[in-house]
Amino acid sequence: MGSLLAGALSAPASAGILAQIDQSRQRMRVYVDGSLAYDWPVSTARQGFVTPNGSYRVGLMAPMWYSRKYHGSPMPHAMFFRGGYAIHGTYAVGHLGRRASHGCIRLSPGHARALFRLTQSYGGARIVIRN
C-alpha cells in the first residue's frame, strides 16, 4: 500500500484539475487534464504550524473569505480542502516561496484567482500535499 500511495502522490491526474504542493520547494504545480499548466511559488506553514500532507478534494469555495481564527484576515479566492485549511490568495507576496502561513497554502492573488476559476470550470479539483 505504501508504494501505491507514493505513486498517487507523484503522478498527475489524467483528467480534471490537480494541484500538487511540494512543501520542501514551496511550489505548486497545477495540472489540467494531466498536463502541467502552471508552476507557482506558495507559502505553507511556518515553524510552529502545520500544513497537512495528503490527498484532498476541494470543498467550500468562496471568492472572498475572512478568517474567523486569525483576526478577520482576508483570504481571496479561498478553496477549503480540510476543515479550516485552504488554498487562497495573499497580499504578502514578498513571503511567497518560503514558509510563512498558519497552515493554509498561500498564492499570489492572480494565481489564486486563476486556480479558483479553473476549479469552478472543472467542477472541482484534487489537492495533493507532500513534504
Side-chain angles (χ1 to χ4, degrees):
M1 177 130 153
S3 63
L4 280 177
L5 181 59
L9 293 177
S10 62
S14 59
I17 304 300
L18 168 64
Q20 285 186 335
I21 295 87
D22 183 334
Q23 293 195 68
S24 65
R25 293 182 53 236
Q26 293 294 291
R27 303 291 298 183
M28 173 189 290
R29 286 188 169 169
V30 179
Y31 294 87
V32 178
D33 292 331
S35 295
L36 180 63
Y38 302 104
D39 186 344
W40 295 322
V42 298
S43 288
T44 61
R46 67 180 182 243
Q47 189 170 4
F49 295 90
V50 173
T51 299
N53 288 321
S55 181
Y56 307 95
R57 298 290 305 169
V58 169
L60 174 71
M61 294 177 59
M64 179 55 87
W65 189 267
Y66 294 92
S67 173
R68 295 178 181 151
K69 190 171 183 179
Y70 296 106
H71 316 291
S73 296
M75 300 166 61
H77 297 99
M79 301 187 316
F80 289 87
F81 60 87
R82 180 181 168 205
Y85 291 98
I87 295 172
H88 63 81
T90 182
Y91 302 116
V93 294
H95 294 290
L96 292 172
R98 62 182 189 254
R99 296 175 181 270
S101 80
H102 290 108
C104 286
I105 298 164
R106 298 179 183 173
L107 287 167
S108 74
H111 295 162
R113 182 176 47 254
L115 182 60
F116 189 93
R117 288 179 178 165
L118 265 177
T119 301
Q120 279 183 319
S121 70
Y122 275 77
R126 189 165 67 109
I127 312 298
V128 176
I129 306 165
R130 63 179 178 216
N131 284 332

